[in-house]
């Protein structure tokens, strides 16, 4: 069986102290349904372009888990209506982040689709940023 290739377009809007920045990443990777969850696997480069970061996104109906391995390893759990505590590794050491998710919209199916989430990150109950992330998945023809 031939493995299908998928394109992921990941758009992030991050608001910190009233300033908003937008980041967009387009990459290819693997996309499948495993044990009832959609799983996206892709590589991205570190900010300084010196290391590859392996990223896995697991999507349930109203929950998304993003695991990054490599430089800046982290595991972010985003569940609609819940606050989760997540570890985030930086060059200065590990920090514990609070992640409160306002909304998860999941329109994924076998051929692709869209997952979007809106959440805040906090440290010591002080909000660091408001985040909106959208991942569009489509099969390479």
């Amino acid at each position: 069986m031939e493995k299908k290739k998928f394109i992921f377009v990941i758009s992030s809007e991050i608001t910190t102290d009233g300033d908003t920045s937008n980041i967009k990443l387009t990459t290819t990777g693997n996309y499948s349904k495993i044990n009832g969850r959609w799983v996206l696997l892709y590589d991205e480069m570190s900010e300084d372009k010196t290391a590859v970061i392996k990223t896995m996104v697991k999507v349930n109906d109203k929950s998304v888990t993003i695991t990054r391995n490599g430089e800046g390893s982290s595991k972010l759990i985003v569940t609609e209506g819940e606050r989760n505590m997540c570890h985030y590794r930086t060059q200065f050491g590990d920090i514990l982040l609070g992640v409160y998710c306002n909304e998860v919209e999941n329109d994924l199916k076998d051929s692709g689709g869209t997952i979007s989430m809106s959440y805040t990150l906090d440290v010591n109950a002080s909000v660091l940023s408001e985040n909106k992330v959208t991942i569009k998945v489509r099969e390479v023809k």
Side-chain angles (χ1 to χ4, degrees):
M1 182 174 161
E2 185 179 327
K3 203 161 186 115
K4 296 178 183 177
K5 282 191 138 188
F6 285 85
I7 293 177
F8 307 129
V9 179
I10 303 148
S11 303
S12 301
E13 179 182 286
I14 303 161
T15 303
T16 306
D17 295 328
D19 293 326
T20 300
S21 61
N22 293 288
I23 300 168
K24 189 172 185 177
L25 169 69
T26 301
T27 188
T28 58
N30 296 319
Y31 171 73
S32 58
K33 195 165 196 176
I34 301 171
N35 297 327
R37 293 193 282 188
W38 293 107
V39 178
L40 293 74
L41 297 168
Y42 60 90
D43 293 341
E44 58 185 289
M45 294 299 295
S46 61
E47 284 187 39
D48 62 5
K49 310 277 190 238
T50 60
V52 173
I53 299 167
K54 302 274 186 193
T55 303
M56 178 171 43
V57 180
K58 292 181 182 176
V59 181
N60 284 332
D61 185 39
K62 293 290 183 179
S63 180
V64 180
T65 301
I66 303 167
T67 306
R68 300 174 80 216
N69 290 306
E71 187 177 291
S73 294
S74 63
K75 184 173 185 177
L76 201 67
I77 302 168
V78 182
T79 305
E80 186 172 280
E82 292 183 12
R83 181 173 183 266
N84 292 296
M85 299 304 292
C86 302
H87 285 276
Y88 192 85
R89 179 168 293 140
T90 72
Q91 64 189 25
F92 307 107
D94 291 355
I95 57 174
L96 190 60
L97 291 176
V99 181
Y100 178 78
C101 178
N102 300 305
E103 183 177 36
V104 173
E105 291 183 18
N106 178 0
D107 182 37
L108 296 175
K109 37 191 155 305
D110 289 341
S111 59
T114 303
I115 179 79
S116 60
M117 60 202 108
S118 172
Y119 59 93
T120 58
L121 295 178
D122 67 77
V123 173
N124 296 329
S126 179
V127 174
L128 288 177
S129 64
E130 296 176 17
N131 306 272
K132 293 178 184 172
V133 177
T134 300
I135 304 172
K136 294 181 180 179
V137 179
R138 67 179 166 85
E139 188 178 342
V140 175
K141 298 289 182 186

